[in-house]
Amino acid sequence: MLYAIFGRDIESSSSKRAAARPRHLQYVEQLVDEGRMVFAGPHPAIDSPDPGPAGFTGSLIIAEFSSLEAARDWVSRDPYSVEGVFAAVEIQPVLQTLP
């Protein structure tokens, strides 16, 4: 089943996000290597592909997990969760209709 993971950053997350980013990307890359990743990316704080000092407000990951509990477990070990980048995380099952 696919799950949409919405991570919402803490206020002024830029320094924590930058520090945790290499570990986060390495962790997320496991989903890519296993063929479970559909989409992943950050939410810019402003309408720009390069938000500069405005930074980011969170992240979205859509990936395959065996269950909601497995998705929650995966998120609990994500460096962005562990290192306090995310203030909250919402996980919802999603059905891919297109493409």
Side-chain angles (χ1 to χ4, degrees):
M1 180 88 189
L2 294 177
Y3 293 88
I5 300 167
F6 301 95
R8 313 262 184 239
D9 283 16
I10 60 170
E11 272 303 305
S12 304
S13 64
S14 294
S15 62
K16 279 192 174 193
R17 181 177 267 272
R21 188 169 191 266
R23 290 177 300 288
H24 167 74
L25 292 177
Q26 183 177 27
Y27 187 66
V28 172
E29 190 67 35
Q30 295 171 1
L31 296 174
V32 175
D33 292 346
E34 294 168 2
R36 297 168 45 203
M37 175 65 66
V38 174
F39 176 90
H43 298 284
I46 59 174
D47 188 14
S48 172
D50 182 6
F56 298 92
T57 61
S59 297
L60 170 64
I61 293 173
I62 299 176
E64 184 178 344
F65 293 92
S66 61
S67 66
L68 179 57
E69 187 56 41
R72 286 180 180 145
D73 181 58
W74 184 88
V75 168
S76 75
R77 292 179 279 118
D78 181 343
Y80 278 1
S81 293
V82 173
E83 298 182 32
V85 174
F86 291 149
V89 176
E90 180 181 350
I91 304 171
Q92 295 288 324
V94 61
L95 298 175
Q96 184 175 1
T97 302
L98 296 170

